[in-house]
Amino acid sequence: MQDERYAFRGKKHLLLPILFLLPQLVITVVFFFYPAGEALLGSVYMEDSFGLSREFVGLDNFVVLFSDPSYLETLYLTFIFSIATITLTMTVSLLMAVVADQVHIGGTLYKSMLIIPYAVAPPLAGVLWLFLFNPSVGVLSSLLDSLGYTWNYKLNGNQALLLLIISASWKQISYNFLFFLAGLQAIPRSLIEAAAIDGASPWQRFRNIIFPLLSPTTFFLLVVNTIYTLFETFGIVHAVTQGGPSRATETLIYKVFNDGFIGLDFGGSSAQSVVLMFIVMILTFLQFRYVERKVNY
Amino acid sequence: MANVRLINIDKTFNKNKVLSGLNLEVPDGSFMVMVGPSGCGKSTALRCIAGLEEVTSGTIMIGDKDVTHMEPKDRNIAMVFQNYALYPHMNVYDNITYGLKVRGIPADERKRRALEAAKLLGLDGLLERMPRQLSGGQRQRVAMGRAIVREPSVFLFDEPLSNLDANLRNQMRIELRRLHQRLATTSIYVTHDQVEAMTLAEKILVLRAGHIEQYGTPDDVYLRPASVFVAQFMGSPSMNIVRAKAEGGNIFLPDGTKLSGVQAADINISGRSGDILLGLRSEDLIFDPEGDIHVTVDIVEALGSDTLAYCRPLSANPEKQESSSVIVRLQGSQRPASGDVIRLTARKGHGHVFDTETQLRCL
Ligand SMILES: Nc1ncnc2c1ncn2[C@@H]1O[C@H](COP(=O)(O)OP(=O)(O)OP(=O)(O)O)[C@@H](O)[C@H]1O
Ligand SMILES: [Mg+2]
């Protein structure tokens, strides 16, 4: 690795690498650093309701935030939502990948069809599940009704959360499936055969050989899914529940939007997004620091 | 300890017949080597015995158990793969003992067996290492260790040494022999390497396009090849095959030269006359100033210990000149130049005669 970089050493050769990196740098600066900077700045100001003037308030916004019990509830809710979504997504996609890996006839068709949900935009995925579970017209809710179970996510907060978890997972399963499948196919067949001859049952083969060898993929997906559940699920929440009923599904990212753009509390909303940013940074850091060390074999 | 019997084994991959009517027995405790050109079905045969492939028809017996439809783990076999197939996330000790662990063998027994195998294979100091921290030869040994701790009744090897360099291969080959002498476990070994085949085998199986061409001891295969195919496949350089005629107890080359060295009586075809294929190994053509075969040297390869001369047979009548060349093994000190005409005799009793039609050996 060290030697490969050698070509770019020295000031004389600095121009070319910069040119190569430029498009990525521009995108990062415009779409990440600039808004993140704005948010950081906004979080230490208090703005009047008309957006005409603002006043420096230091860390007041954060103090207000953490002394607000409803914000702590949101934190807890987001935690539940993320863990449940990640667990559901990864379990189901791993299971499907393991099964798809065994399919010989029509495998390509099966795999292509499993990838389609990934091409669906998050709000559309939400709308799809919305229709399925709509209390008045949804196919699945009328099915549940006929089974004697009252389904109305518009009134029942837990049901609303469940619906969100299902839709968010459904959307992300394809992506996870693809990576798990690729990971599985990269495991040499002879390793599995050696384990079979050694006497390992299919479950032991999975547990002792396949799963550990998949861990780099699992780790990567864990990071990606964490970011997905914290940020990208906004579209789904917005389409399905808008945070309701009575804020039962208001996740961190949705609260940022709600307080900032609906409640017009820009300072508070900026402070929230800064907190969210830190949460993601810390989680990612922890994952890299503690989990990745274990997956290097 | 068990013998292995294949009874009428057929194996078809989507209509493509890879093994047809394989019948053979590998005696208990013997070392059988399977050779044959690439794609002839050696690995497939081995994988069928291991249970990694289901046979299309036929019966596989290990000892007196019919294992045809058994899972690999119930066949009491161990296999060493060409790429070793070590578990990359387990250290050497765990690699070796994994098979014992999943079979529920207690930890102290596992340890005892692993240490014993490690000692036998010279892996003592390496038990804590990960596979990626080992050299090719060491990995090979770990793969062997994993096979022997299980104390199976049959070892299966699929070109286990082919990823090693020539020196290491020689060394490992000798170790394999030592190991076999010590453990005397029935072994089936696939290789491309002639030397491995000749030195390791008690029995050699020559496979050609999915059927048995010859099954016998190394001497059988080398000294009495059953067909032109076996004759040319075993031995390096491959055997010279020339068209010849048998008549009245004598053998004549196409140009009419009577061979004094090889006589029909020597090779048991006295009764036969007419066209034959005569097989002469390069070492059975002797440089002899009085010799009756005249050849023109074309290319000379000096190998040090001996010299290979690729020659065109010369005849009085250039029209009748054979196109195929003849390879002669000379002593290392003999270095004819290209274009020289040299004279040879065939070593007495060392010719092989094959039928021109069936290409099979004439007894
Ligand atoms: N899983 C499979 N599906 C279809 N055809 C196969 C499969 N495995 C092997 N074959 C075919 O069976 C034939 C025999 O293959 P096999 O691997 O047994 O050859 P081999 O003698 O071991 O060759 P080599 O010396 O190159 O290893 C080949 O023609 C191969 O293409
Ligand atoms: Mg093979």
Side-chain angles (χ1 to χ4, degrees):
Chain A
M1 283 302 267
Q2 227 50 348
D3 292 335
E4 284 165 32
R5 290 182 191 167
Y6 213 71
F8 290 136
R9 288 264 166 90
K11 275 190 186 144
K12 260 195 296 191
H13 304 293
L14 214 55
L15 188 65
L16 194 61
I18 287 181
L19 276 177
F20 281 142
L21 288 176
L22 203 60
Q24 182 65 50
L25 283 176
V26 168
I27 289 173
T28 312
V29 167
V30 171
F31 292 101
F32 179 73
F33 284 114
Y34 174 67
E38 281 283 287
L40 262 176
L41 207 63
S43 69
V44 289
Y45 283 95
M46 181 100 83
E47 211 161 303
D48 70 59
S49 336
F50 303 102
L52 298 174
S53 67
R54 59 184 197 175
E55 177 190 345
F56 182 78
V57 293
L59 295 177
D60 274 4
N61 283 330
F62 293 94
V63 174
V64 170
L65 205 57
F66 282 102
S67 48
D68 175 5
S70 80
Y71 186 69
L72 300 179
E73 273 166 33
T74 300
L75 260 178
Y76 176 70
L77 172 80
T78 309
F79 180 74
I80 301 288
F81 171 72
S82 292
I83 300 275
T85 307
I86 292 173
T87 313
L88 184 65
T89 304
M90 293 184 76
T91 319
V92 173
S93 55
L94 180 57
L95 199 72
M96 292 204 305
V98 169
V99 176
D101 197 32
Q102 319 285 325
V103 174
H104 296 299
I105 300 159
T108 320
L109 182 71
Y110 177 62
K111 288 166 200 163
S112 323
M113 284 175 54
L114 280 177
I115 292 160
I116 292 176
Y118 188 59
V120 176
L124 289 183
V127 167
L128 187 123
W129 286 93
L130 188 80
F131 280 132
L132 284 175
F133 280 106
N134 186 294
S136 38
V137 299
V139 180
L140 291 177
S141 42
S142 67
L143 190 75
L144 285 171
D145 262 343
S146 69
L147 292 175
Y149 187 82
T150 319
W151 173 269
N152 192 339
Y153 72 87
K154 289 188 175 169
L155 299 176
N156 184 326
N158 287 336
Q159 290 181 353
L161 186 60
L162 187 66
L163 180 58
L164 274 190
I165 291 169
I166 294 177
S167 352
S169 305
W170 179 81
K171 166 80 179 74
Q172 192 69 354
I173 280 172
S174 309
Y175 183 83
N176 282 247
F177 166 78
L178 268 189
F179 276 87
F180 275 133
L181 188 64
L184 283 173
Q185 287 175 344
I187 298 176
R189 257 181 76 94
S190 59
L191 283 184
I192 317 290
E193 291 174 345
I197 291 177
D198 261 348
S201 66
W203 167 248
Q204 286 170 321
R205 272 174 252 165
F206 179 77
R207 180 68 200 82
N208 303 335
I209 313 292
I210 298 175
F211 192 69
L213 292 180
L214 268 184
S215 57
T217 309
T218 311
F219 169 69
F220 165 76
L221 288 174
L222 190 64
V223 175
V224 169
N225 290 338
T226 305
I227 294 170
Y228 167 79
T229 57
L230 290 180
F231 290 118
E232 285 170 55
T233 48
F234 172 81
I236 292 178
V237 179
H238 194 52
V240 179
T241 63
Q242 282 106 43
S246 62
R247 306 189 35 255
T249 56
E250 194 180 53
T251 59
L252 283 176
I253 186 75
Y254 201 74
K255 192 170 163 60
V256 170
F257 165 79
N258 234 356
D259 291 359
F261 294 89
I262 311 293
L264 294 179
D265 172 12
F266 286 115
S269 164
S270 296
Q272 287 179 33
S273 54
V274 169
V275 172
L276 189 55
M277 201 160 75
F278 273 104
I279 291 177
V280 170
M281 273 163 61
I282 289 167
L283 280 182
T284 311
F285 174 77
L286 284 180
Q287 282 168 341
F288 271 101
R289 176 122 173 110
Y290 293 105
V291 188
E292 201 191 31
R293 198 176 286 167
K294 288 205 185 126
V295 304
N296 265 327
Y297 54 79
Chain B
M1 298 291 114
N3 62 348
V4 177
R5 269 187 301 154
L6 304 187
I7 303 158
N8 272 319
I9 296 297
D10 280 341
K11 174 68 191 173
T12 308
F13 285 117
N14 356 304
K15 303 217 175 92
N16 171 18
K17 199 154 193 170
V18 175
L19 298 176
S20 48
L22 239 50
N23 269 301
L24 71 104
E25 174 171 358
V26 185
D28 186 9
S30 70
F31 203 108
M32 189 270 259
V33 174
M34 231 191 284
V35 294
S38 191
C40 69
K42 304 180 294 291
S43 300
T44 306
L46 207 64
R47 292 169 58 84
C48 287
I49 298 171
L52 297 172
E53 302 280 358
E54 182 89 356
V55 296
T56 311
S57 67
T59 309
I60 300 173
M61 306 278 295
I62 295 180
D64 42 22
K65 263 195 311 187
D66 178 350
V67 300
T68 317
H69 301 291
M70 279 188 187
E71 289 288 308
K73 69 180 162 73
D74 302 323
R75 299 188 179 202
N76 202 15
I77 46 123
M79 185 157 169
V80 177
F81 292 83
Q82 180 172 358
N83 63 2
Y84 317 135
L86 300 182
Y87 311 126
H89 57 299
M90 297 186 192
N91 67 18
V92 170
Y93 182 84
D94 291 341
N95 259 286
I96 291 181
T97 54
Y98 180 69
L100 302 177
K101 199 167 164 187
V102 295
R103 281 167 200 265
I105 296 199
D108 48 348
E109 169 74 1
R110 295 206 295 264
K111 183 160 187 183
R112 190 187 63 71
R113 289 213 219 164
L115 293 182
E116 198 181 337
K119 202 160 148 213
L120 194 63
L121 294 163
L123 289 171
D124 296 308
L126 305 175
L127 290 173
E128 296 298 315
R129 296 244 192 119
M130 299 303 272
R132 72 187 135 84
Q133 300 168 315
L134 300 176
S135 73
Q138 290 166 334
R139 281 178 210 187
Q140 219 288 320
R141 271 180 247 248
V142 176
M144 298 281 308
R146 188 167 66 179
I148 66 178
V149 283
R150 292 242 329 274
E151 299 172 3
S153 44
V154 181
F155 286 136
L156 304 173
F157 301 90
D158 195 353
E159 307 191 32
L161 306 185
S162 60
N163 286 351
L164 304 180
D165 70 44
N167 270 333
L168 203 52
R169 199 152 60 216
N170 287 340
Q171 190 188 328
M172 287 304 295
R173 197 180 66 226
I174 308 235
E175 284 187 23
L176 264 172
R177 272 200 75 161
R178 206 170 283 143
L179 209 61
H180 181 67
Q181 273 171 4
R182 211 172 137 161
L183 303 172
T185 305
T186 315
S187 305
I188 302 180
Y189 188 104
V190 170
T191 182
H192 269 123
D193 187 308
Q194 305 256 337
V195 183
E196 269 169 43
M198 294 300 290
T199 55
L200 287 172
E202 285 157 42
K203 285 282 199 80
I204 292 183
L205 173 73
V206 185
L207 214 56
R208 179 193 189 184
H211 71 263
I212 297 177
E213 192 79 9
Q214 186 168 8
Y215 182 44
T217 63
D219 279 352
D220 282 339
V221 170
Y222 194 78
L223 301 175
R224 288 172 293 281
S227 66
V228 172
F229 176 82
V230 176
Q232 295 206 301
F233 188 75
M234 295 302 292
S236 170
S238 84
M239 186 189 279
N240 298 304
I241 302 285
V242 292
R243 293 184 170 283
K245 261 193 173 60
E247 221 174 280
N250 288 313
I251 292 176
F252 297 90
L253 289 184
D255 64 356
T257 314
K258 186 174 123 190
L259 293 181
S260 58
V262 183
Q263 275 168 348
D266 291 339
I267 41 185
N268 258 330
I269 53 152
S270 10
R272 196 180 173 100
S273 62
D275 288 343
I276 55 164
L277 291 173
L278 177 65
L280 294 166
R281 291 210 186 270
S282 58
E283 63 267 29
D284 295 333
L285 285 165
I286 307 164
F287 183 65
D288 173 9
E290 315 279 83
D292 43 18
I293 310 172
H294 296 57
V295 292
T296 310
V297 176
D298 194 5
I299 291 170
V300 177
E301 281 182 347
L303 302 178
S305 61
D306 40 31
T307 302
L308 293 181
Y310 293 73
C311 311
R312 276 174 280 114
L314 185 78
S315 88
N317 183 349
E319 306 276 272
K320 285 188 179 172
Q321 196 162 314
E322 280 267 334
S323 57
S324 65
S325 67
V326 166
I327 308 170
V328 185
R329 191 188 294 269
L330 304 169
Q331 282 169 11
S333 55
Q334 295 170 325
R335 300 274 172 88
S338 176
D340 285 1
V341 174
I342 56 174
R343 301 177 68 171
L344 308 165
T345 37
R347 201 130 70 99
K348 243 183 165 28
H350 281 76
H352 305 263
V353 174
F354 303 97
D355 189 280
T356 46
E357 288 295 313
T358 61
Q359 309 238 316
L360 296 180
R361 181 181 192 83
C362 308
L363 286 175

